[in-house]
Amino acid sequence: MREIGIPHPRLPLPPAGGEDDMEAFLAWLGEAIPMVGHLGIQSMRRDDEALEWRLALSPSLNDKGTGFGGALAAQTTLLGWCWTTLWLRRHGHDRDVVVAEAGQRFLAPVTGDYRLVCTPEVEDGPERLADRLGRRGKGRIALVQRLWCGETLCLEARGDYAVLPAR
């Protein structure tokens, strides 16, 4: 059971040049952030610079039987945090990440299970982040999350994620 004000132990970094085991990361995430177990995440995978979650709609239903906007917004924010954290880990950085700014545009109702895909807002975003971390020891990256229900784009979100200096 998590205690308020007590940080959760960090997950050890993957071996140099290695990648995180997505199932192990998702299990750790569920321990670190208790609400994760209630989001309906069925799978998580990385493909180049994209991070994708597949989710069940049932835990995020609203009173109309479609996706609850607040739950969907939380999911997009958390997916961006995961993207940034996993990118840092892949590059050998054990750092804290916080969301600095986030917003969403709801385009269509979510009527079934869906997928969320997170990518950098600009192609050279990861390189800029690496440069800032090297020069200043901290940085920011803008990410975009898109929610797809079948072939329908239902939600677009954008967030700025700040990487804090090493402790």
Side-chain angles (χ1 to χ4, degrees), residues 19-139:
E19 300 232 2
D20 277 289
D21 172 328
M22 291 295 150
E23 286 185 30
F25 181 81
L26 202 50
W28 171 84
L29 188 64
E31 294 169 6
I33 303 173
M35 80 173 205
V36 167
H38 304 284
L39 297 179
I41 302 169
Q42 298 173 329
S43 67
M44 179 168 74
R45 72 179 187 91
R46 193 178 80 78
D47 182 19
D48 195 26
E49 291 296 343
L51 183 63
E52 178 182 293
W53 281 351
R54 298 256 173 187
L55 299 105
L57 176 58
S58 56
S60 299
L61 285 173
N62 64 18
D63 58 318
K64 296 158 207 62
T66 61
F68 173 58
L72 303 176
Q75 291 166 1
T76 62
T77 302
L78 182 58
L79 182 60
W81 181 92
C82 288
W83 186 100
T84 309
T85 298
L86 288 165
W87 184 91
L88 288 166
R89 292 173 55 76
R90 203 166 61 246
H91 291 87
H93 300 286
D94 187 14
R95 298 290 189 82
D96 284 327
V97 174
V98 296
V99 61
E101 185 178 335
Q104 306 81 32
R105 259 182 3 150
F106 297 89
L107 305 169
V110 179
T111 58
D113 293 353
Y114 54 98
R115 63 189 170 95
L116 268 173
V117 181
C118 181
T119 57
E121 184 175 59
V122 295
E123 190 174 318
D124 68 342
E127 291 80 21
R128 286 187 194 167
L129 177 59
D131 180 60
R132 284 187 207 112
L133 287 171
R135 286 187 299 108
R136 297 182 12 216
K138 62 182 181 176

